[in-house]
Amino acid sequence: MPPASDLDHIPHLPTQPLVGHTLLSLKDFLGFARRNTQAFGEVYRIKMMGRWRISFTSADAAEYILMDPDHIFSAKQGWHDSLGTLFSGGLMLRDHDDHRQHRRIMQAAFRKPAMDSYLALMAPELDRMMAGWPVSRRLSFYPAIKDLTLRLGAHVFMGLPADTPEAQALSRRFIDEIAAAITVIRKPLPLTKYRRGVRARRALLDRFHALVETRRQGDGADFFSQMCRATDDEGRHWSDAEIAEHFNFLMMAAHDTTASGLSSMLAALTDFPDWQDRLRAEVDALGAGPMTPALLEAMPQTEMVFKEALRLVPPVALIPRVALRDFDWNGIRIPAGHPVSANITMVMRSPEHFTDPDRFDPERFSDNRAEDRNHRFAWMPFGGGAHKCIGLHFSMMQVKCFTRALLSRYRVTRDDNAPVRWKRLPIPQPKGGLPVILHPRP
Ligand code: HEM
């Protein structure tokens, strides 16, 4: 680790004894980032979990870091502290040529025919699950959507019937693994979450590994089967161990982000019932048949609302990297070896790109306003460059299926009138769980 004195020329706000800025940032991530930006502009440093991290808050800087034209940024080292041990081998834990090769293979599992088969698996199952949600009484939305997306994942990602004991056991292990990834104690000491997570990882990898051969020979439409059969254009494929690692990572990358995004979207729909009515009208206009790729295209307003929810509460608040060589940003020398991050939360709150940026206003994504096109990196909840989220379209598809299943059945109100407050790190979740009431439609 390079010495902190390398960074003396990069400004920072006063630190608190022992904890640096950790508590300030955890308590009010957006407010703290704003105080820094007001004081220092687009580059400053914060001390989180004992390490200095250099934060970049402009779209230009985010573009430079994520497009990486000089090939100097490592995603692997950037994500190592949080994901390196439990999710090693995943795409975000790979760099440059190695990453490119692995991503090309994974791309096969996201081509159009594969996506259509996920849609065919997902839409009816989502519909069935949501028909079973409790009506006319308090429902804590965040835990409910986490549970639903996990059970749905067993079906769409693994091709297992959602409510079987095996699917439930996999879900429990998966919850332990993710809990370990975000815990403070990062050694597998007895009785710690970390130890449970490390064990869960081993059990998951063993299970995935054991399934590879049969899935490779079969014609399953689920994600895991598609990944077992995936090859790049030159016919290269992964080893069994690599498939297990990639799948383990993919489940993690897909799960909490989607649950977080759906929660901020639902919070907005209950805060702005006029938008809920607009989306319900859009859903009703689809008619009663099964969900199809063409119907997904007929939901532009749902897409605008989801985009706005992700702009205001991005599931990945900042994207970490480590510079492998010194670089210069607008006259400031950034020494190699220190963590840097593109603070996408701040980029997407910038008045330079978005009118009245704190306001919920999905129309800003309409064709005639298109504020997201003011800068290539103005709207970037899915990142950008080589590591840009490979699941973006999958995520949009899932949100549209969810919106249709929800709003064709229910009108949704909040069970409290308090503004939703967010715990932003490591992945945003609504404090209090977002209590809502589903009212059956006549
Ligand atoms: C609202 C939902 C989601 C959000 C906001 C989101 C956000 C992101 C972001 C910001 C990155 C880039 C990280 C970086 O540059 O270091 C990323 C990467 C990734 N995401 Fe997503 N994601 C979402 C859903 C999904 C889903 C549904 C899947 C899979 C079906 C998925 C799979 C991945 C994978 C595999 C990567 C690594 C790509 C690479 O390194 O090449 N994500 N995601």
Side-chain angles (χ1 to χ4, degrees):
M1 166 103 61
S5 56
D6 273 7
L7 303 176
D8 283 350
H9 60 293
I10 302 176
H12 66 86
L13 289 174
T15 53
Q16 294 180 321
L18 299 176
V19 292
H21 299 117
T22 308
L23 296 183
L24 292 167
S25 195
L26 288 178
K27 199 166 160 227
D28 178 13
F29 176 76
L30 183 61
F32 185 60
R34 279 197 161 130
R35 277 172 51 206
N36 275 287
T37 312
Q38 272 153 15
F40 310 121
E42 62 164 335
V43 186
Y44 57 87
R45 61 182 161 130
I46 61 172
K47 195 171 189 186
M48 285 280 287
M49 313 298 253
R51 260 187 111 172
W52 283 106
R53 294 157 203 274
I54 306 153
S55 211
F56 292 80
T57 59
S58 70
D60 283 344
E63 178 169 9
Y64 176 68
I65 292 170
L66 299 184
M67 294 309 290
D68 193 13
D70 302 320
H71 307 289
I72 59 169
F73 292 107
S74 167
K76 178 178 177 168
Q77 291 186 35
W79 285 106
H80 179 269
D81 287 357
S82 51
L83 304 177
T85 309
L86 291 154
F87 297 99
S88 62
L91 277 187
M92 259 149 60
L93 281 301
R94 293 178 184 273
D95 284 333
H96 309 127
D97 286 349
D98 172 54
H99 167 259
R100 223 182 341 270
Q101 276 183 18
H102 280 262
R103 183 159 168 134
R104 276 203 197 118
I105 298 177
M106 188 173 284
Q107 211 80 54
F110 287 91
R111 290 202 188 106
K112 170 105 174 86
M115 292 288 284
D116 289 352
S117 64
Y118 306 144
L119 179 63
L121 283 174
M122 177 193 295
E125 189 61 15
L126 238 175
D127 215 46
R128 186 188 70 79
M129 286 175 160
M130 297 212 39
W133 272 13
V135 292
S136 307
R137 63 186 166 87
R138 185 186 172 102
L139 167 76
S140 207
F141 182 79
Y142 182 69
I145 196 67
K146 280 199 52 131
D147 176 64
L148 181 142
T149 47
L150 262 183
R151 288 190 296 128
L152 185 68
H155 184 63
V156 179
F157 282 81
M158 290 215 62
L160 298 172
D163 297 320
T164 56
E166 166 156 35
Q168 285 161 4
L170 285 173
S171 293
R172 273 197 304 278
R173 294 217 165 96
F174 193 60
I175 289 168
D176 285 347
E177 193 184 28
I178 295 189
I182 57 181
T183 185
V184 179
I185 300 171
R186 310 198 62 80
K187 290 212 177 345
L189 303 172
L191 302 178
T192 55
K193 282 187 184 170
Y194 199 75
R195 184 166 170 132
R196 265 208 306 282
V198 170
R199 287 189 172 164
R201 166 186 156 82
R202 196 59 270 152
L204 285 168
L205 289 179
D206 287 348
R207 185 69 195 118
F208 299 152
H209 209 154
L211 280 176
V212 169
E213 201 43 47
T214 37
R215 293 299 178 89
R216 190 181 276 134
Q217 304 305 333
D219 60 356
D222 61 278
F223 227 112
F224 187 63
S225 298
Q226 303 276 359
M227 281 177 65
C228 290
R229 298 194 298 265
T231 59
D232 67 9
D233 293 341
E234 278 110 54
R236 276 186 295 237
H237 57 79
W238 291 315
S239 69
D240 294 7
E242 285 170 339
I243 291 173
E245 288 282 5
H246 277 299
F247 189 66
N248 186 44
F249 176 85
L250 187 97
M251 294 273 286
M252 181 278 297
H255 174 62
D256 266 13
T257 47
T258 303
S260 175
L262 283 174
S263 298
S264 52
M265 179 167 166
L266 193 86
L269 291 179
T270 50
D271 279 340
F272 300 92
D274 52 327
W275 272 102
Q276 191 180 137
D277 290 341
R278 281 172 73 165
L279 296 203
R280 193 173 292 105
E282 183 169 86
V283 159
D284 287 351
L286 302 177
M291 198 60 165
T292 60
L295 292 187
L296 293 175
E297 297 298 314
M299 300 179 75
Q301 301 202 73
T302 303
E303 196 161 319
M304 280 161 41
V305 169
F306 186 51
K307 282 177 150 180
E308 183 67 336
L310 295 183
R311 185 185 71 81
L312 290 168
V313 189
V316 182
L318 36 86
I319 301 184
R321 297 285 187 264
V322 169
L324 303 174
R325 292 202 308 271
D326 291 4
F327 69 101
D328 180 278
W329 182 256
N330 286 343
I332 303 175
R333 186 182 56 81
I334 311 293
H338 293 279
V340 299
S341 57
N343 186 329
I344 64 182
T345 308
M346 286 302 288
V347 172
M348 294 196 290
R349 294 280 181 141
S350 165
E352 244 184 80
H353 312 304
F354 296 107
T355 336
D356 200 356
D358 291 339
R359 209 162 77 85
F360 176 80
D361 177 12
E363 286 287 357
R364 63 175 86 247
F365 295 102
S366 60
D367 284 343
N368 54 345
R369 282 177 59 196
E371 292 183 3
D372 50 328
R373 283 182 229 141
N374 285 340
H375 186 293
R376 195 173 164 203
F377 276 68
W379 184 81
M380 49 174 305
F382 294 97
H387 289 274
K388 183 170 182 175
C389 181
I390 201 167
L392 189 162
H393 298 294
F394 184 94
S395 171
M396 284 289 177
M397 183 169 95
Q398 187 162 355
V399 166
K400 287 177 180 177
C401 292
F402 165 82
T403 305
R404 187 183 190 202
L406 180 82
L407 296 184
S408 59
R409 274 203 184 79
Y410 310 116
R411 188 173 58 80
V412 192
T413 57
R414 280 255 281 294
D415 192 36
D416 58 7
N417 288 321
V420 181
R421 288 180 311 120
W422 294 92
K423 174 177 173 286
R424 293 253 179 185
L425 295 176
I427 290 190
Q429 52 174 285
K431 292 183 182 168
L434 192 61
V436 297
I437 297 184
L438 306 182
H439 308 269
R441 287 180 66 187

